[in-house]
Amino acid sequence: MSNATPPLSEAQKLNPNPPEQSVEDINTEKREAIWDEHLKNRNLLFQNHPLDYLFLEVTRACNLSCAYCGSSCGQKPQREELSIGEWIEFIRQVAQDFKPEDVMVAVTGGEPLTKVGVFELFQELHNLGFHYGMVSNACLLDADVARRLVEVGMDSLSLSMDAPPPMNDRLRGDGTSLAVFRAVEALHQAGYAGTLEIISTITTPAVPYLDQMRALVSSMRVPNWRVAPVMPVGRAARRPDLVPGPVEIRQIMEFVLAARGDDFIPTPEMSEEGYLGNRFEGNVRPYLCQCRAGISIAGIMCDGRIGACPELGDAFVQGHIKTDRFKDVWRDRYQLFRDRGWMKRGPCTECEQFQRCQGGAMHLYDNPDSETLRCLYLLAKEGGG
């Protein structure tokens, strides 16, 4: 699943008071002071690497098969997956080694609701004191599931919908739009009081529908909307027709910038993917660029391998929960994540913004010997004419 991250309120720790003005509009001295403070805080985070976000990719099975899925999910699991009992044993270990109240757990997939016993995991996360959320395509989220999510104290829920119907159904499958409508209504009826968000993975065909999509999210009474240009990873790497180019990237970013300046709800938020330039940094999302994979974010893959965000490949695996205690791996490994000088190659070699960007998002590298798959900063400059 692409961009499989529930709402990241703690992301604002690095920039808790983002500038009200565009960084482009303020004077150079003030702009440099904002960045100096941000980089100082980010460097401390790299040194101390406190765990505050943990992905649990409970399955790679999914009842959909989107053409641009970053995890290439399908109807069957891709590997031998951990059982729910093993997942529960693991989170109990994490609760022993870390403070549960300091760690947000993101249950992802695939589609988590296809995992037999997943509500047992939800209940245990709640019992242990973790804040936790889930990303879902909503197809299995009926009234009974909504009621159970309220009962197990789920803190945040992100539902995937990329465009208004019928475009969304063309992109994700017949009936997927109706499933989201029904799921949102079921959650409202069940009295769900956690954070509710729509995530829109924006492919090229969806770009013209951004205004309509915002109005649709508003009509569903969903207050949070995340906009994420599809990444050229997983199945999307084989579908260049779906991956936005420079003109579309610029259109997406200009749309989000303008929408964040009005009073209409929802206020869209751009996904994290590296430095975006003075016009957009601190304005299309409520923080400055800060890929925290391996810094304050870790992840466990469906088969127990220890990594960071779900889209990262085998080259970034740091261990396995069946042979390593996660606490020790987090403390002693992740060097590739915490010293990113290796990213300064290809288009990053001579880039004057490397200090701010640090090579962008980790999920845009196939391995530590590769170049970044794309740079939104350069694409937006090119798309702006």
Side-chain angles (χ1 to χ4, degrees):
M1 179 179 290
S2 293
N3 304 297
T5 316
L8 291 172
S9 59
E10 75 279 5
Q12 296 182 39
K13 287 179 180 177
L14 293 184
N15 189 32
N17 297 299
E20 294 181 2
Q21 295 172 277
S22 167
V23 183
E24 184 182 57
D25 296 333
I26 62 180
N27 64 61
T28 300
E29 183 178 352
K30 186 175 181 180
R31 180 172 66 233
E32 293 303 315
I34 290 171
W35 275 105
D36 286 347
E37 182 67 17
H38 174 69
L39 295 180
K40 181 177 73 173
N41 291 338
R42 191 174 69 184
N43 287 339
L44 288 173
L45 199 65
F46 272 54
Q47 294 171 25
N48 299 326
H49 45 81
L51 179 71
D52 63 23
Y53 206 92
L54 179 63
F55 284 102
L56 304 183
E57 184 194 58
V58 294
T59 184
R60 280 287 179 102
C62 185
N63 47 344
L64 300 180
S65 186
C66 300
Y68 47 88
C69 178
S71 300
S72 300
C73 298
Q75 296 294 320
K76 297 180 180 180
Q78 299 171 355
R79 302 173 184 264
E80 184 176 348
E81 296 184 349
L82 298 178
S83 67
I84 285 297
E86 289 171 316
W87 282 113
I88 290 176
E89 181 181 351
F90 170 72
I91 64 161
R92 287 174 177 168
Q93 179 194 114
V94 175
Q96 293 172 6
D97 295 338
F98 299 86
K99 293 181 179 180
E101 63 270 22
D102 292 341
V103 181
M104 175 70 184
V105 176
V107 181
T108 71
E111 170 52 52
L113 292 176
T114 66
K115 184 73 172 180
V116 176
V118 73
F119 275 89
E120 297 173 38
L121 175 62
F122 293 159
Q123 186 65 66
E124 190 65 11
L125 286 165
H126 181 64
N127 292 345
L128 291 169
F130 289 100
H131 296 290
Y132 77 100
M134 175 180 67
V135 178
S136 174
N137 61 36
C139 292
L140 300 177
L141 209 168
D142 58 16
D144 180 62
V145 169
R147 176 184 55 79
R148 295 176 70 190
L149 290 175
V150 172
E151 290 174 352
V152 296
M154 181 166 284
D155 295 284
S156 68
L157 183 58
S158 300
L159 303 180
S160 300
M161 186 174 185
D162 301 338
M167 175 56 70
N168 186 71
D169 285 23
R170 283 176 51 195
L171 292 167
R172 300 182 59 82
D174 291 342
T176 52
S177 300
L178 182 59
V180 174
F181 297 149
R182 288 176 172 171
V184 170
E185 184 58 29
L187 290 164
H188 289 323
Q189 291 295 324
Y192 178 75
T195 300
L196 183 59
E197 174 189 57
I198 297 292
I199 294 179
S200 295
T201 301
I202 305 300
T203 56
T204 303
V207 173
Y209 296 92
L210 289 168
D211 275 315
Q212 293 180 41
M213 186 61 194
R214 189 186 187 197
L216 185 61
V217 175
S218 178
S219 73
M220 289 190 284
R221 294 179 291 142
V222 175
N224 304 292
W225 181 37
R226 187 135 44 96
V227 175
V230 68
M231 299 175 291
V233 299
R235 281 198 287 267
R238 304 188 293 272
R239 292 294 306 272
D241 58 308
L242 296 178
V243 179
V247 172
E248 292 82 17
I249 290 295
R250 183 74 182 210
Q251 288 174 343
I252 295 167
M253 291 167 66
E254 292 287 359
F255 166 80
V256 175
L257 180 65
R260 290 182 67 84
D262 63 33
D263 297 326
F264 190 76
I265 302 297
T267 300
E269 179 178 324
M270 189 87 170
S271 61
E272 165 61 61
E273 198 179 304
Y275 182 71
L276 303 177
N278 286 334
R279 179 169 176 77
F280 302 107
E281 279 295 333
N283 294 285
V284 296
R285 54 195 179 214
Y287 53 89
L288 301 178
C289 62
Q290 53 179 51
C291 175
R292 298 179 297 125
I295 309 302
S296 60
I297 295 175
I300 311 301
M301 299 180 181
C302 62
D303 58 356
R305 290 175 298 156
I306 300 171
C309 70
E311 279 87 9
L312 289 172
D314 293 349
F316 296 98
V317 170
Q318 301 297 300
H320 198 288
I321 66 168
K322 291 186 177 181
T323 56
D324 303 291
R325 194 167 184 95
F326 171 70
K327 174 187 68 173
D328 298 333
V329 175
W330 182 251
R331 181 190 62 217
D332 300 331
R333 303 184 194 175
Y334 286 91
Q335 288 85 358
L336 284 170
F337 297 81
R338 295 167 188 172
D339 181 358
R340 300 188 179 182
W342 59 269
M343 290 178 162
K344 197 171 177 64
R345 56 164 59 95
C348 298
T349 304
E350 303 297 331
C351 182
E352 72 281 3
Q353 302 299 340
F354 184 82
Q355 183 184 16
R356 295 180 177 179
C357 183
Q358 289 286 297
M362 292 286 293
H363 57 243
L364 291 175
Y365 292 83
D366 290 329
N367 58 69
D369 296 318
S370 66
E371 297 178 6
T372 183
L373 294 173
R374 76 174 176 197
C375 173
L376 293 188
Y377 168 58
L378 294 179
L379 286 172
K381 285 179 66 176
E382 182 181 348

